[in-house]
Amino acid sequence: MEPGYRGLGRCACCFWLAVAFDVVGLLVLLTGVFVSVFFYDLLIYAGAIVIFLSLIWWVFWYSGNIEVPPAELEDDVGLLKKDKGGLSGAVRRLSSRVSSGIRTSFRRNGAPTRATRTEGSRGGATGAPQVEQVSVSMATMTPQGDTPHYAVSAAAGCDVEMPHTTTESSPT
């Protein structure tokens, strides 16, 4: 049996914090408006900011007291009924088909997914072509160096040499 909440609801502390922020903000704001001090503008702005910050506590209090029947929660907490028909069931089936179609198109195009990586590590057939990774190392070039430097790429066991190229720029 659920406890009966009266008056302020479940989040009474948020309610009282919101009221306190409103009262303090209003007192500071009215002090800045009606008392003759040289920093009246600071008090006006500070009071307005404190009143604005009280909105946070009001939102917490309100959202903490929203009551949702368990029948509406069943979809959100994994208690989905599989025998639901009608429009919501059709939309759910369509959404499932579209998302699985997108997943399989990524697999066909060779994009690695979590499922293909785990299946490939177990030795299972993934249906997607195996793609080798090619590592490329690049050297930094200095314009003063006379000796050519080469970047070497190791692809499938063969080395490919690349000629020395530099880019010159004129001083501005």
Side-chain angles (χ1 to χ4, degrees):
M1 182 168 167
E2 293 183 27
Y5 295 105
R6 294 176 289 156
L8 300 178
R10 285 182 285 248
C11 302
C13 63
C14 291
F15 175 83
W16 290 115
L17 277 170
V19 169
F21 270 60
D22 280 338
V23 168
V24 169
L26 190 64
L27 287 175
V28 171
L29 183 113
L30 292 177
T31 301
V33 171
F34 292 114
V35 175
S36 179
V37 290
F38 70 94
F39 55 93
Y40 67 93
D41 53 346
L42 174 72
L43 294 175
I44 292 172
Y45 288 128
I49 290 171
V50 171
I51 291 172
F52 176 75
L53 291 176
S54 77
L55 289 174
I56 296 170
W57 298 112
W58 285 116
V59 168
F60 284 168
W61 175 73
Y62 180 78
S63 61
N65 286 310
I66 294 175
E67 304 246 348
V68 180
E72 290 183 26
L73 280 178
E74 69 185 12
D75 190 30
D76 293 336
V77 294
L79 301 174
L80 180 63
K81 292 183 180 177
K82 299 293 182 185
D83 60 347
K84 273 192 173 179
L87 183 62
S88 65
V91 169
R92 191 167 287 114
R93 284 191 302 273
L94 176 67
S95 171
S96 175
R97 286 182 186 162
V98 169
S99 63
S100 66
I102 290 172
R103 260 186 259 122
T104 57
S105 72
F106 279 132
R107 287 185 193 138
R108 273 182 274 163
N109 293 336
T113 62
R114 185 177 303 145
T116 58
R117 277 183 269 157
T118 57
E119 289 173 5
S121 62
R122 286 188 225 137
T126 60
Q130 295 293 331
V131 178
E132 288 185 25
Q133 287 191 357
V134 178
S135 61
V136 177
S137 62
M138 300 179 73
T140 305
M141 307 301 296
T142 59
Q144 294 85 9
D146 292 334
T147 60
H149 297 280
Y150 297 102
V152 178
S153 170
C158 65
D159 292 336
V160 178
E161 292 187 4
M162 299 181 71
H164 170 66
T165 58
T166 59
T167 303
E168 294 183 19
S169 60
S170 61
T172 56

